[in-house]
């Protein structure tokens, strides 16, 4: 059974600080997707990484896929109160039996205080 | 911008009753999914659906659950006889493909409360 573990589970920081959220597994994934979820809403896709070592940037957010495709990180530079929310990583697998099933981590709740 | 929609946003039902949760996926997407999220827990995969049949289902998706695409636009999840433990947020998602990180787009969810 493939599992994704996110750390930390909770993070409370001051506006302007940097932070990194980690998503780790003992299994290889073909792709890793990062989502942000607001209370009472569905996850909103931020980015997908598919190549080992890949780095993608989305404004102040930097996403990296580990070389072995077992882990990923999300780094936020100069966090702002608007970044507050639940961040989820989700892994997918290609292959002949690929059904699109995503396996989610438990999420990291980020609070950015003004 | 195209989006996945779900109805109702909140459903309250008595234990043992049947419920149908409805979703309208993004129109050019071919792959459809249901996930659920019990309060405070992870998002869990329930089922994937392609070409009018289930392609994969989880252990959660037992005989009480079924999915259907009754027409060209709707995708439904039916729970025949609800249990207290079925109380959760249910999310529908859709994607164009499943390879190369087939990006899934989620609806806003239906909060199901079983009393």
């Amino acid at each position: 059974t493939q599992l994704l573990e996110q750390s930390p589970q909770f993070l409370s920081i001051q506006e302007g600080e940097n932070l990194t959220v980690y998503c780790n597994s003992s299994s290889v994934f073909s792709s890793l997707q990062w989502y942000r979820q607001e209370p009472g809403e569905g996850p909103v896709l931020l980015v997908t990484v598919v190549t080992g070592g890949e780095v993608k940037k989305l404004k102040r957010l930097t996403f990296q896929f580990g070389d072995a495709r077992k882990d990923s990180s999300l780094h936020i530079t100069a966090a702002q109160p608007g970044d507050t929310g639940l961040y989820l990583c989700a892994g997918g697998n290609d292959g002949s039996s690929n059904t699109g099933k995503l396996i989610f981590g438990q999420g990291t709740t980020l609070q950015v205080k003004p | 911008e195209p989006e996945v929609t779900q109805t109702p946003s909140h459903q309250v039902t008595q234990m043992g009753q049947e419920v149908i949760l409805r979703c309208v996926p993004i129109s050019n997407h071919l792959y459809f999914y249901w996930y659920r999220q019990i309060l405070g827990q992870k998002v869990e995969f329930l089922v994937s659906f392609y070409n009018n049949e289930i392609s994969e289902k989880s252990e959660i998706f037992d005989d009480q659950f079924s999915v259907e695409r009754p027409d060209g636009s709707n995708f439904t999840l039916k729970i025949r006889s609800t249990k207290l433990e079925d109380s959760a947020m249910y999310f529908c998602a859709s994607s164009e493909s499943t390879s190369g990180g087939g990006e899934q787009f989620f609806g806003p969810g239906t909060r199901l409360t079983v009393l």
Side-chain angles (χ1 to χ4, degrees), chain A residues 58-110:
Chain A
L58 190 67
K59 297 183 182 177
R60 293 175 293 98
L61 277 60
T62 302
F63 304 85
Q64 182 160 13
F65 203 10
D67 291 343
R69 291 185 291 139
K70 292 182 178 181
D71 54 87
S72 182
S73 63
L74 157 60
H75 182 79
I76 301 179
T77 304
Q80 299 179 1
D83 295 327
T84 293
L86 176 66
Y87 291 83
L88 302 168
C89 65
N93 289 296
D94 285 351
S96 59
S97 61
N98 183 17
T99 63
K101 170 185 174 181
L102 288 178
I103 294 167
F104 278 83
Q106 74 271 44
T108 294
T109 299
L110 171 65

Side-chain angles (χ1 to χ4, degrees), chain A residues 3-5 30-31 33 35 37 40-45 47-50 56 86 88 93-94 97-106, chain B residues 31-33 35 37 40-45 48-49 55-56 58 89 91 95 97-109 111:
Chain A
L3 292 173
L4 279 169
E5 295 291 331
S30 301
S31 65
Q33 302 184 17
Y35 292 84
Q37 185 179 22
E41 298 181 12
V44 175
L45 182 65
V47 79
T48 301
V49 285
V50 299
K56 281 191 175 179
L86 176 66
L88 302 168
N93 289 296
D94 285 351
S97 61
N98 183 17
T99 63
K101 170 185 174 181
L102 288 178
I103 294 167
F104 278 83
Q106 74 271 44
Chain B
Y31 298 83
F32 314 113
Y33 314 88
Y35 293 83
Q37 186 176 32
Q41 297 186 23
K42 318 185 159 185
V43 176
E44 300 173 287
F45 169 81
S48 57
F49 191 86
S55 44
E56 184 173 0
S58 72
M89 281 289 286
F91 295 107
S95 65
S97 72
T98 58
S99 61
E103 297 174 332
Q104 293 185 23
F105 295 87
F106 284 73
R111 179 173 298 285

